[in-house]
Amino acid sequence: MALKPLSITDNDQSEEDKKLQEKVKASGAIPTHIAIIMDGNGRWAQQKGNIRLFGHKAGVESVRDITESCAQLGVQHLTLYAFSTENWSRPSSEINGLMGLLVQSLRKEAERLRRNDIKLVTIGQTGRLPKRCQKELGEVIEITKDNKRMQLCLALSYSGRWDITEAVKQISRDVQKGSINPDDVNDQLISSYLSTAAIPDPDLIIRTSGEYRISNFLLWQLAYSELYITKTFWPDFRRDELYRAIFSFQKRERRYGKVKNGHNKTVPSSVINQIRS
Ligand code: IPE
Ligand code: IPE
Ligand code: MG
């Protein structure tokens, strides 16, 4: 289906967009949890002859549009990869610019999140963020803590290996204390020690900017997530393309290692013997 980009201002959702969302909802299940690797801000800006920070600023508009459209569609959890552990190795001017934008956006968006009944949480080593970011984050988390419609999780100073390493450390401590037995360590237990313990695994992972990699995102949690990769740079990724990603998700058959539905009938032993011989 060819979808036109929509221009949305504040909470004034166009009639056209409402109809489109009805179509998305009617065409299949809406993913419970969508996680996004928001990539391509720098290249978007450079293509326009601007500095990278210009792209990060434009990316904030996409965050707002995608957050609101996910909430409107009934997505329960939206996780946005905003800053990775490895991103600390970027030039300090870019890091400072990004941190400044985070503070500014949190201030600007807090009221909208509250109004839209969206709860903000974070995963990652937020203790490494500048104090002003930690303060602003803490305030918005507090203001939105009782919100129910959707949970927006910002992955900040996050990496999948960090998450798993921290879980392994804590499990080891608990084994040492005797509060868990090494034989009790299984899938569920490991999941419960990760920073995402309270969040279901992502159903759909979107990566913008055409890179076919995970870049240390939710390594454990994405075991059976569906992937959607688009060439679109993050500042151009708006709700029209989100709908396309969901349509694509709805067409997939999630098999979890089993056989295709309807292909699980018992095979007569005579046939098996024939194949073996
Ligand atoms: C994603 O855009 C934002 C962050 C990683 C903070 P990039 O800054 O990685 O932009 P590109 O990929 O270099 O174009
Ligand atoms: C992934 O993007 C991290 C975030 C989107 C926050 P990067 O731009 O850091 O990833 P690489 O370097 O292309 O793998
Ligand atoms: Mg990048």
Side-chain angles (χ1 to χ4, degrees):
M1 192 195 299
L3 300 172
K4 276 197 279 124
L6 296 158
S7 135
I8 303 294
T9 51
D10 200 55
N11 275 358
D12 307 333
Q13 193 185 2
S14 70
E15 284 308 313
E16 190 195 353
D17 185 47
K18 280 185 195 155
K19 280 193 199 132
L20 264 176
Q21 290 194 348
E22 287 314 315
K23 265 194 189 165
V24 179
K25 287 190 226 172
S27 77
I30 296 294
T32 303
H33 181 180
I34 299 181
I36 308 183
I37 304 174
M38 309 184 289
D39 197 21
N41 294 352
R43 278 165 285 167
W44 182 89
Q46 277 161 345
Q47 266 188 358
K48 294 182 160 24
N50 269 307
I51 56 159
R52 294 173 56 82
L53 198 59
F54 186 75
H56 296 313
K57 191 156 190 268
V60 176
E61 301 294 317
S62 298
V63 170
R64 182 192 300 132
D65 191 44
I66 297 307
T67 302
E68 288 191 358
S69 46
C70 279
Q72 288 158 352
L73 283 170
V75 171
Q76 296 295 299
H77 297 271
L78 173 65
T79 301
L80 300 177
Y81 201 11
F83 194 81
S84 74
T85 306
E86 290 75 20
N87 290 151
W88 287 116
S89 309
R90 293 192 177 193
S92 57
S93 57
E94 182 168 345
I95 297 175
N96 291 338
L98 275 166
M99 297 302 153
L101 262 179
L102 177 64
V103 171
Q104 204 187 333
S105 320
L106 284 165
R107 267 187 208 146
K108 222 168 124 196
E109 302 303 324
E111 175 52 24
R112 277 174 88 99
L113 290 175
R114 203 191 54 73
R115 219 181 327 131
N116 282 303
D117 199 15
I118 297 169
K119 175 179 176 169
L120 181 77
V121 296
T122 60
I123 51 171
Q125 284 179 292
T126 47
R128 286 184 73 181
L129 300 175
K131 287 280 173 289
R132 66 188 201 282
C133 293
Q134 293 185 41
K135 181 172 170 281
E136 210 59 44
L137 276 169
E139 282 172 17
V140 183
I141 289 170
E142 177 59 28
I143 295 171
T144 61
K145 71 175 189 308
D146 296 321
N147 291 355
K148 300 272 181 303
R149 192 181 183 192
M150 186 180 81
Q151 182 167 289
L152 170 65
C153 176
L154 291 184
L156 287 163
S157 189
Y158 178 86
S159 76
R161 286 188 176 178
W162 162 81
D163 205 355
I164 295 168
T165 307
E166 289 305 304
V168 171
K169 275 192 212 161
Q170 194 51 47
I171 291 170
S172 314
R173 285 189 204 110
D174 288 348
V175 166
Q176 209 169 30
K177 269 199 326 214
S179 58
I180 55 169
N181 187 317
D183 291 327
D184 293 338
V185 178
N186 57 22
D187 254 39
Q188 283 80 17
L189 183 121
I190 294 172
S191 295
S192 75
Y193 275 78
L194 294 169
S195 63
T196 48
I199 310 175
D201 287 345
D203 299 291
L204 173 63
I205 295 200
I206 298 173
R207 179 166 190 149
T208 59
S209 92
E211 307 293 357
Y212 282 75
R213 55 178 174 260
I214 296 300
S215 301
N216 217 348
F217 196 26
L218 302 161
L219 298 180
W220 173 272
Q221 299 85 339
L222 57 67
Y224 272 105
S225 305
E226 296 296 326
L227 305 179
Y228 180 89
I229 293 167
T230 169
K231 283 205 173 90
T232 307
F233 293 138
W234 177 249
D236 285 333
F237 188 91
R238 297 296 163 93
R239 58 181 70 203
D240 55 317
E241 204 168 345
L242 172 76
Y243 302 159
R244 247 177 260 147
I246 298 177
F247 282 135
S248 160
F249 169 83
Q250 288 167 337
K251 287 200 203 91
R252 320 261 183 103
E253 190 193 34
R254 302 181 78 185
R255 289 194 289 278
Y256 300 97
K258 298 174 191 158
V259 289
K260 194 170 156 57
N261 263 341
H263 287 233
N264 50 357
K265 295 191 190 77
T266 317
V267 181
S269 54
S270 57
V271 176
I272 293 180
N273 290 340
Q274 226 175 8
I275 294 168
R276 279 196 188 135
S277 62

